[in-house]
Amino acid sequence: MRSSWLKKVSFVVGPKPPLSWLILILISLLAVAAVLSNSSSSSEAVGAAHRTAESLIYTNYRRIKEQAAVDYLELRSVSSGGARQKEVGLCGKERENFVPCHNVSANLMSGFREGEEFDRHCEVSKGTERCLVRPPKEYKIPLRWPSGRDVIWSANVKLTKDQFLSSGSITKRLMLLEENQIAFHSEDGLIFNGVKDYARQLAEMIGLGSDTELSQAGVRNILDINCGFGSFGAHLLSLKIMAVCLAAYEATGSQVQLCLERGLPAMIGNFIARQLPYPSLSYDMVHCAQCGIMWEDQNGMPLIEVDRVLKPGGYFVLTSPTSRPQGSSREKKRIMSNPMEGLTQQLCWTLLAQQEETFVWQKTADVDCYASRKQHTIELCKGEDTQSYYRPLVPCISGTSSKRWIAIQNRSSESDLSSAELKIHGVQPEEFYEDLQYWRSAVNNYWSLLTPLIFSDHPKRPGDEDPLPPYNMIRNVMDMSANYGGLNAALLEEKKSVWVMNVVPSRASNALPLILDRGFAGVMHDWCEPFPTYPRTYDMLHAYGLLSHLSSERCSTIDLFLEMDRILRPEGWVILSDTMGAIEMARMLATQVRWEARIIDLQNGSDQRLLVCQKPFVKK
């Protein structure tokens, strides 16, 4: 597996040549370049009949100059000695499930208390030893989608057999532990009467006939707080509704890790002290089924944060933590709604319906509602909404002055936004559709260039049974510099059975609101810091222009590659598209983190190159 795919690509830059050969070829190339330069200069006197030949000479000249530059970089790296190319060492067993920025012990020693020790503190993690996080001894490559949605290898997650056996009967109904596997049953579990019945109940409470009508009612993306093991999200994905699980860091039995292992969108986050890395007005629904959060604590600050990320006309669903309702429905409603009644009124939420232990509120779509409140204990935020990247929670209502204040029921039903909606985001329709067309072409190129390496229609490892459709070798994809989410859209158009975490760098042009309005999964992130996820949770990482963008930042590029290696599954893939110089330096770093890497020249006359890498499965 380590090198067979490399031999199949005939248009890549080959293995590193000897130093003496490099010196000789570099001198020869410079001499040829000079001759071609003189030839191109003298050809200016030739008539129109020779212009085509002149163009070809110029193209060849440029290509030779580029190759000479690549050879120079290679020569420089060789002559500088072996220290730079030394492979990074492997971490110890204690860091198999290492999540930077979430070291509870270190956070306590730094003085964080009252729940903030479980929050994200990257400044505490600085200075950590550089090493490659290894998989557990019994780790196995996850089953391909859709089989991997329902069955996972128990050794791949931190939920042990003892923890499973000591869990309550509700959890056991959700999962079935069989030897070295965990099987998930979507029709049982934390949500009573089955996931499908629960989804249908929510749709009826909103006023719909069926859960299949949710997207038509404007519900296309859902933030699922403390999602259990993702069965509700898995059902929603079958309805083409993007549900992202958000759960706090857990030392054992992580919900986020289990969801990602199943091929379901998830990331680490909480409501303790900081805003989530989403802009205001991001989600059509926020869902909390027995999520264990006291929403009225801190004077309602967690609930105000829910209001911030909820779009106008969106829904907040709360299922109580009781196992079964006791007493009459009137008593139940009084018990559940009173602690939050004042808060929801101040937020201009309307209680649409209550059935047994489930409550559904709807956020107002009428900005004038806030002025008509009897009390104003929760004020409106002043000024424009600032870029939200783990800022402290704010005790005011956000988004009311935003141009994006549009009821979800009035938005486009498709991922391609209307021209009017694009202009609200400050994007010209021509620019948007040009970007989409580029990614349609890029995805086609990826499939033609990299099949059967990554996107094979018939992948089969030795000893595997024949895979079920749709055969793709990847499921969890991260676009590390997503721009408008064009890669995500192109993959959906091609009906590829993947989902994409669209990451917008915190210092890049902020198109995350547009991505979320398209119904995609997305988050803001500073790539100078670790990403909030567990190790081995993505099958493919993709980045267009990210290395050039970060070249002016304070980031350490080797730290970026170590972080990419941490979140990439063994046998996972990396596709980097960037300028020739950035890609060449990236190839050197790829060898340090032990990836197999080759540069692909797209032969289109541009300075862009692809670096295609695969992470090996380092077994113990």
Side-chain angles (χ1 to χ4, degrees), residues 462-574:
D464 278 2
E465 296 180 358
D466 290 334
L468 297 173
Y471 306 120
N472 292 347
M473 297 174 71
I474 59 173
R475 169 63 185 170
N476 300 352
V477 176
M478 177 183 287
D479 192 355
M480 300 172 66
S481 52
N483 196 25
Y484 301 143
L487 175 66
N488 195 154
L491 289 169
L492 289 179
E493 285 185 359
E494 293 294 325
K495 302 187 184 305
K496 304 304 179 184
S497 188
V498 302
W499 71 272
V500 180
M501 178 61 78
N502 295 279
V503 182
V504 175
S506 59
R507 290 173 175 80
S509 177
N510 186 13
L512 184 56
L514 185 151
I515 290 172
L516 294 168
D517 282 355
R518 300 181 76 177
F520 300 160
V523 66
M524 187 182 300
H525 182 66
D526 182 352
W527 281 115
C528 296
E529 300 174 351
F531 190 82
T533 190
Y534 291 82
R536 302 172 297 278
T537 45
Y538 283 88
D539 299 304
M540 188 177 85
L541 307 179
H542 176 275
Y544 177 87
L546 179 66
L547 300 177
S548 295
H549 171 72
L550 294 179
S551 62
S552 61
E553 301 291 340
R554 67 187 187 282
C555 309
S556 165
T557 312
I558 184 61
D559 287 341
L560 174 66
F561 273 65
L562 288 171
E563 175 61 9
M564 293 166 66
D565 183 85
R566 185 185 71 87
I567 66 181
L568 192 64
R569 285 172 172 168
E571 298 188 2
W573 298 85
V574 176

Side-chain angles (χ1 to χ4, degrees), residues 77-124:
S77 66
V78 172
S79 62
S80 63
R84 180 182 294 182
Q85 296 298 314
K86 185 178 180 181
E87 291 183 340
V88 178
L90 301 177
C91 301
K93 179 179 175 60
E94 70 282 358
R95 294 181 68 175
E96 287 177 352
N97 292 294
F98 177 59
V99 180
C101 307
H102 288 277
N103 188 327
V104 177
S105 300
N107 292 343
L108 285 169
M109 292 179 62
S110 298
F112 292 103
R113 297 289 188 277
E114 299 180 358
E116 285 196 65
E117 65 271 20
F118 298 101
D119 213 335
R120 182 174 183 271
H121 299 285
C122 292
E123 66 279 6
V124 177

Side-chain angles (χ1 to χ4, degrees), residues 168-280:
S169 59
I170 291 177
T171 304
K172 290 178 185 178
R173 285 164 52 193
L174 177 65
M175 302 187 304
L176 178 63
L177 196 68
E178 298 176 345
E179 297 180 356
N180 58 353
Q181 294 181 337
I182 301 175
F184 295 84
H185 302 280
S186 60
E187 286 309 296
D188 294 308
L190 295 174
I191 301 170
F192 307 111
N193 301 322
V195 171
K196 291 182 180 179
D197 288 342
Y198 177 75
R200 184 168 57 251
Q201 174 191 350
L202 291 186
E204 291 172 352
M205 294 174 73
I206 291 173
L208 305 175
S210 169
D211 56 358
T212 59
E213 300 176 11
L214 283 170
S215 59
Q216 300 172 20
V219 179
R220 291 187 297 163
N221 65 346
I222 295 177
L223 189 63
D224 196 4
I225 308 298
N226 289 355
C227 60
F229 304 127
S231 293
F232 182 53
H235 173 65
L236 291 171
L237 283 178
S238 70
L239 302 176
K240 297 184 179 180
I241 296 174
M242 175 58 66
V244 178
C245 173
L246 184 83
Y249 169 77
E250 299 167 90
T252 57
S254 165
Q255 302 169 74
V256 170
Q257 188 183 40
L258 282 167
C259 284
L260 288 164
E261 189 68 20
R262 298 181 64 187
L264 303 173
M267 63 174 286
I268 298 172
N270 58 45
F271 288 82
I272 295 173
R274 302 184 185 183
Q275 292 181 349
L276 301 173
Y278 312 119
S280 299

Side-chain angles (χ1 to χ4, degrees), residues 24-38:
L24 179 61
I25 194 64
L26 181 59
I27 295 172
S28 301
L29 285 171
L30 291 175
V32 172
V35 172
L36 288 174
S37 178
N38 292 333

Side-chain angles (χ1 to χ4, degrees), residues 280-298:
S280 299
L281 318 180
S282 292
Y283 287 93
D284 304 315
M285 178 184 287
V286 176
H287 176 260
C288 163
Q290 304 183 19
C291 63
I293 296 176
M294 303 304 292
W295 296 105
E296 65 272 19
D297 283 359
Q298 305 177 58

Side-chain angles (χ1 to χ4, degrees), residues 308-320:
R308 187 185 71 83
V309 300
L310 200 59
K311 294 177 182 176
Y315 305 96
F316 177 60
V317 178
L318 175 63
T319 298
S320 73

